[in-house]
Amino acid sequence: MNILILGGGGREHSLAWAVLQNPKCDRLIVAPGNAGIAAIAECAALDILDGDAVAVFAEENAVDLVIVGPEAPLAVGVADRLREAGFVVFGPSAAAARLEASKAFTKAICDAVSAPTARYARFTDAAAARAYIEAEGAPIVIKADGLAAGKGVVVADDEATALAAVGKMFAGQFGAAGAEVVIEEFMTGEEASLFCLVDGETILPVGTAQDHKRAFDGDAGPNTGGMGAYSPAPVLTEAVLTRALDEIVRPTMAEMALRGMPYRGVLYAGLMIEDGAPRLVEYNVRFGDPEAQVLMMRLGGQALDLIQACAEGRLAEKRVNWAEDHAMTVVMAAAGYPGPYEKGSEIKGLESLPEDSTAMVFHAGTAEEDGRICAAGGRVLNVTARGTSLREARDRAYALVDRIDWPDGFYRRDIGWRAL
Ligand code: AMP
Ligand code: GLY
């Protein structure tokens, strides 16, 4: 079959890598892709936010399955447009993607089904939001309602920070995404993510992961898109997983179907676990990045069968073949990230690395210039390995990191510390 993946980060490199392990894949195109993806698949320059353009491209290339990587195309209805045109698509409708694209929408769904989550209030008016913060006190969490490229959440340790965040959001820091603000109770506990494929009816858990959001060792420094991840997440024990599915995921999916917007795609539930009880932090309507990298490394070629069954509404007949293994990914980022950083520095040593089903360097922000691999983004490489224990996966991943020669990059040395 001919497969089109939309996106061009480490997540999409790992999806492409897994899809290619499956002999069913005859031709793989990734749009726009990156330098690492270009080494294993065809890359196409395509505006992935333009549903019409994607549909025309899919038609011209006889694409049998479209896998949408990031949330932005989903939120603007690219999956709807493709389904209307008759394509098989992995990814939810724009209506269902509101589970990520509107925090107020998700909160309302949680209310409707009594799913455990942080207490909250929503505001379209700065004065009322300020009064609420003053009444509640800190710590408190301020969230722009809409998509803000991962920057729309402020965990405020004191009232002044919370008030400043509200001021900036209502002043237009995130444009329309900040016209409504959700203010939440600060939840304590340990965070982990649960990934489920959903085909409108059947819910199939396909893995758990934990990531490290802070830039530096010891979980210090600013928040990032994620500096590393590992799977499985030990905190998501069988008992916690059952509760998360029964109390949060299943009721949400049932409510979405009831409201006429059945969910189809991967549902990423960000959970806070305390005393064995999970609460919802947020939903995302796509695989995590870098969580996908560890999930794909563990699932391998079966990922394509599962994704295809999900897109075709046949999940009920599928099981995941679990190996008793662990995977870890270490993100190498450009110095300065998540603040301003330089582009264009050369990365050496990649050609000589052994890459197989137990170790892979997935590319995120890279570009090829005259045969050299150069940094072209904030998060640049995802060095990923699998092992029979998390320790083994970690040792393998860091052994590869140590062979990469990139003086302008940095990474954390302690990914997985909590689990190890
Ligand atoms: P998000 O952008 O929604 O992923 O939120 C970013 C991060 O903020 C989450 O991964 C949590 O670490 C943190 N966070 C969000 N909401 C809360 C909350 N209510 N209590 C504590 N931490 C939170
Ligand atoms: N790594 C967090 C995310 O993909 O949202």
Side-chain angles (χ1 to χ4, degrees):
M1 63 198 293
N2 298 337
I3 298 168
L4 171 64
I5 296 178
L6 303 184
R11 168 181 47 213
E12 287 75 24
H13 191 182
S14 72
L15 283 165
W17 174 84
V19 159
L20 287 168
Q21 313 293 308
N22 192 313
K24 250 195 227 166
C25 176
D26 298 309
R27 181 174 177 212
L28 176 63
I29 312 171
V30 185
N34 61 32
I37 296 171
I40 61 170
E42 292 171 54
C43 290
L46 185 61
D47 178 1
I48 64 169
L49 297 178
D50 181 343
D52 291 331
V54 177
V56 167
F57 181 88
E59 186 70 50
E60 283 170 359
N61 289 280
V63 167
D64 301 298
L65 169 67
V66 183
I67 301 173
V68 185
E71 65 280 11
L74 296 167
V76 299
V78 170
D80 305 77
R81 178 68 194 84
L82 288 167
R83 277 198 195 96
E84 275 160 31
F87 291 101
V88 177
V89 187
F90 179 73
S93 64
R98 291 182 71 208
L99 283 176
E100 176 165 359
S102 168
K103 304 213 186 271
F105 174 81
T106 294
K107 284 298 197 182
I109 295 272
C110 285
D111 285 347
V113 300
S114 305
T117 183
R119 205 158 36 79
Y120 77 104
R122 19 194 308 199
F123 299 94
T124 48
D125 168 74
R130 286 202 192 93
Y132 183 80
I133 291 168
E134 276 156 10
E136 290 286 314
I140 194 159
V141 183
I142 317 296
K143 301 185 172 185
D145 174 62
L147 292 179
K151 298 186 177 72
V153 174
V154 175
V155 178
D157 292 329
D158 52 72
E159 273 183 40
T161 308
L163 293 170
V166 161
K168 278 192 211 154
M169 286 180 195
F170 282 121
Q173 182 186 19
F174 302 116
E180 178 162 2
V181 168
V182 170
I183 303 185
E184 278 187 10
E185 162 199 5
F186 174 77
M187 294 189 285
T188 52
E190 187 170 346
E191 266 187 277
S193 306
L194 165 62
F195 296 86
C196 297
L197 299 189
V198 186
D199 67 0
E201 278 183 29
T202 302
I203 298 169
L204 182 66
V206 291
T208 64
Q210 276 177 285
D211 79 345
H212 293 262
K213 292 199 192 303
R214 300 300 192 104
F216 307 129
D217 281 15
D219 289 333
N223 263 322
T224 70
M227 292 300 293
Y230 51 96
S231 172
V235 65
L236 284 179
T237 59
E238 206 58 47
V240 177
L241 202 57
T242 302
R243 283 189 66 171
L245 288 167
D246 290 349
E247 297 171 17
I248 301 173
V249 175
R250 271 192 250 283
T252 304
M253 294 295 92
E255 180 69 15
M256 293 296 284
L258 202 66
R259 293 187 183 200
M261 44 182 115
Y263 191 91
R264 297 194 181 90
V266 58
L267 183 74
Y268 161 163
L271 304 169
M272 188 72 83
I273 297 110
E274 190 169 51
D275 301 329
R279 291 207 279 170
L280 183 75
V281 178
E282 57 164 353
Y283 284 122
N284 294 308
V285 298
R286 49 170 173 86
F287 282 111
D289 189 342
E291 292 89 338
Q293 289 81 319
V294 285
L295 294 180
M296 290 306 129
M297 182 121 255
R298 295 186 62 210
L299 289 171
Q302 68 176 318
L304 175 58
D305 298 321
L306 295 170
I307 285 171
Q308 185 190 6
C310 178
E312 291 176 349
R314 296 185 288 101
L315 268 185
E317 61 190 56
K318 285 289 168 194
R319 296 285 170 273
V320 180
N321 282 322
W322 289 114
E324 293 290 318
D325 62 354
H326 298 255
M328 182 180 289
T329 187
V330 179
V331 172
M332 298 182 79
Y337 172 82
Y341 53 82
E342 300 278 322
K343 290 187 184 176
S345 58
E346 185 178 357
I347 304 161
K348 292 188 196 148
L350 293 174
E351 342 55 69
S352 67
L353 296 184
E355 291 187 325
D356 55 30
S357 64
T358 64
M360 271 299 299
V361 179
F362 296 119
H363 289 219
T366 63
E368 199 206 300
E369 285 164 29
D370 308 322
R372 302 174 308 145
I373 298 295
C374 296
R379 292 188 294 169
V380 173
L381 297 173
N382 310 135
V383 184
T384 311
R386 198 151 64 88
T388 52
S389 65
L390 185 59
R391 199 169 289 277
E392 187 181 50
R394 178 196 61 182
D395 292 346
R396 278 191 184 145
Y398 278 110
L400 291 182
V401 167
D402 290 336
R403 291 174 58 176
I404 296 172
D405 177 12
W406 182 34
D408 296 306
F410 79 99
Y411 57 91
R412 284 182 57 162
R413 200 74 223 182
D414 64 346
I415 301 304
W417 67 266
R418 205 189 275 274
L420 290 163

